Amino acid sequence: MSNLTLSLSALTLSHFRSHKVARISVDARPVAIHGPNGAGKTNILEAVSLLSPGRGLRRSSADDMTRRPEAVGWKISAVLHSLQHVHEVETWSENGAARQVRIDDKAAAQTALGRIARVLWLIPSMDRLWIEGAEGRRRFLDRMTLSFVPDHAQVSLEYEKAMRERNRLLKDMVRDPHWYSALETRMAETGAAIHANRLHALDELAQAQGDASTAFPAADLVLEPGELGMPDGADGLRAALTDNRARDLGAGRTLIGPHRADLFGIYAAKGVPAKDCSTGEQKALLVSLILANARALAREFGAPPLLLLDEVGAHLDTDRRAALYDEISTLGAQAWMTGTGPELFDTMGTRAQYLHVSDVDGASVVARP
């Protein structure tokens, strides 16, 4: 267990989702949140997820997060203990505009959140990861990659912007190479960085799985580059984009690059593709990867990340649930966990702190039992 921590001691939600006002004070232990369905438990986890770059665990627009009908915006404030520092963090949105961030009373870019905090999550919609389309698996991989490389989000945004502009030229059947040169150079530079970042994350995960003794099955992960492959380095990708331009014109979109990659998972002990495993095995593999990611971050960042585990206990048997709580405690992570009843957290005992969320007159109320 790391001697340094990454944890929240205070969290305030204002007009966020079902919460008109919620003020939560906690210590560094795991937080077990229970209450009936629809009371607003997941909304608390979503608020914590917005202390990292991106759109949060639901990938919702800023406007969708606003409590209706009385509010035109929302705000989240937190006191974040990161290694040996304490930060005051605020993020908010008004009138559906892109969310803003302030750290220690100074305006900051979202990417700055990734330098002071690491946040991982596992939510029920991710249970279909291995059987859904490749986009979901790329997003899963990129979230893990972002936890190791805070600048990964910005590089990805720059790549997507250049690709959108290139695709617009392709759809308009523009053939003049001068229109493509600068865009393809930018795509090559950022695309190669994305690929290298992803491989770094997979190496970290493989090492973390190999070094640990865990009750959860290990997953071998392979990054499949797509039908046309992934050339080596920026120069290779730039040449491939140029050479493939005629085919891309026919398709009306870019057919080579990191946006075509897929993540292939294998249940290591059985040698069975994750997509062919049982629902319970697929869930166990996801838990294993989140824990491996957390262990790797504890080593690389210096403290285990904030873990957001939505309804995770309801989908594990009693033994696996107890094993998960043991591993969280050993790791020393502040895990924010939800469940319909406190009995789902029985084996945590005093290792956790407990919050009860209820719906009173249409507003979520958070209280200690």
Side-chain angles (χ1 to χ4, degrees):
M1 181 170 63
S2 173
N3 292 322
L4 298 174
T5 63
L6 176 65
S7 64
L8 300 179
S9 61
L11 179 68
T12 302
L13 282 58
S14 175
H15 296 91
F16 182 81
R17 297 285 191 182
S18 59
H19 298 275
K20 186 174 183 179
V21 177
R23 295 183 178 91
I24 301 171
S25 296
V26 291
D27 55 45
R29 289 176 297 164
V31 183
I33 306 170
H34 60 91
N37 290 327
K41 303 184 300 296
T42 304
N43 297 340
I44 296 173
L45 267 59
E46 182 179 23
V48 178
S49 75
L50 291 170
L51 301 177
S52 66
R55 295 169 59 184
L57 57 78
R58 283 192 176 111
R59 293 183 53 77
S60 297
S61 68
D63 191 49
D64 286 342
M65 299 176 195
T66 302
R67 178 178 165 85
R68 300 297 185 186
E70 75 272 16
V72 295
W74 52 266
K75 186 175 183 179
I76 298 165
S77 305
V79 176
L80 174 71
H81 299 253
S82 177
L83 304 179
Q84 296 177 329
H85 303 279
V86 180
H87 300 282
E88 293 184 359
V89 180
E90 296 175 306
T91 184
W92 71 95
S93 171
E94 297 177 353
N95 297 312
R99 72 182 178 105
Q100 300 180 61
V101 174
R102 190 158 49 219
I103 300 175
D104 297 329
D105 236 5
K106 296 180 181 178
Q110 285 189 35
T111 50
L113 293 171
R115 298 187 181 94
I116 62 172
R118 301 289 194 274
V119 186
L120 306 178
W121 56 78
L122 184 58
I123 59 177
S125 63
M126 293 165 64
D127 290 351
R128 295 180 55 82
L129 180 77
W130 304 113
I131 57 176
E132 67 177 1
E135 181 180 358
R137 288 186 290 277
R138 281 195 299 271
R139 190 158 55 241
F140 177 72
L141 174 58
D142 283 333
R143 283 299 316 178
M144 292 192 294
T145 302
L146 179 63
S147 73
F148 295 108
V149 187
D151 292 335
H152 185 69
Q154 185 61 39
V155 172
S156 298
L157 286 172
E158 292 175 8
Y159 176 83
E160 290 168 5
K161 179 181 178 181
M163 183 173 66
R164 282 196 303 271
E165 294 179 13
R166 184 178 187 268
N167 285 348
R168 190 176 299 116
L169 295 176
L170 294 170
K171 289 177 182 177
D172 291 343
M173 299 299 290
V174 175
R175 297 180 182 277
D176 187 341
H178 292 94
W179 286 93
Y180 291 91
S181 180
L183 291 175
E184 289 175 351
T185 295
R186 190 64 188 138
M187 284 183 66
E189 293 170 348
T190 54
I194 290 169
H195 186 65
N197 291 344
R198 288 171 172 173
L199 292 178
H200 169 68
L202 292 179
D203 286 344
E204 291 287 340
L205 288 168
Q207 181 178 338
Q209 289 191 103
D211 291 346
S213 174
T214 174
F216 293 89
D220 290 335
L221 298 178
V222 178
L223 182 61
E224 297 286 352
E227 181 183 351
L228 299 181
M230 182 66 191
D232 291 333
D235 290 341
L237 182 54
R238 186 186 301 108
L241 287 167
T242 300
D243 294 344
N244 208 53
R245 203 177 293 155
R247 182 184 291 193
D248 290 350
L249 277 165
R253 65 186 189 280
T254 303
L255 297 176
I256 191 169
H259 65 287
R260 303 288 290 181
D262 196 357
L263 182 66
F264 187 65
I266 301 171
Y267 191 126
K270 296 183 176 182
V272 176
K275 65 181 179 65
D276 296 329
C277 291
S278 69
T279 301
E281 289 173 333
Q282 290 179 356
K283 183 74 172 189
L285 287 170
L286 283 174
V287 172
S288 179
L289 288 172
I290 294 297
L291 290 172
N293 196 168
R295 289 192 298 270
L297 284 173
R299 181 182 64 247
E300 183 172 289
F301 178 65
L306 297 172
L307 294 176
L308 309 180
L309 306 175
D310 192 23
E311 301 289 350
V312 68
H315 302 283
L316 297 173
D317 61 37
T318 303
D319 290 341
R320 278 244 168 95
R321 194 158 61 226
L324 171 61
Y325 298 156
D326 286 345
E327 294 200 28
I328 289 171
S329 298
T330 300
L331 184 63
Q334 189 186 57
W336 294 67
M337 305 171 289
T338 65
T340 52
E343 69 279 358
L344 291 169
F345 308 105
D346 279 349
T347 58
M348 284 295 288
T350 58
R351 295 180 296 177
Q353 54 205 310
Y354 299 83
L355 299 177
H356 181 250
V357 182
S358 56
D359 188 317
V360 178
D361 295 331
S364 292
V365 177
V366 182
R368 292 185 181 274

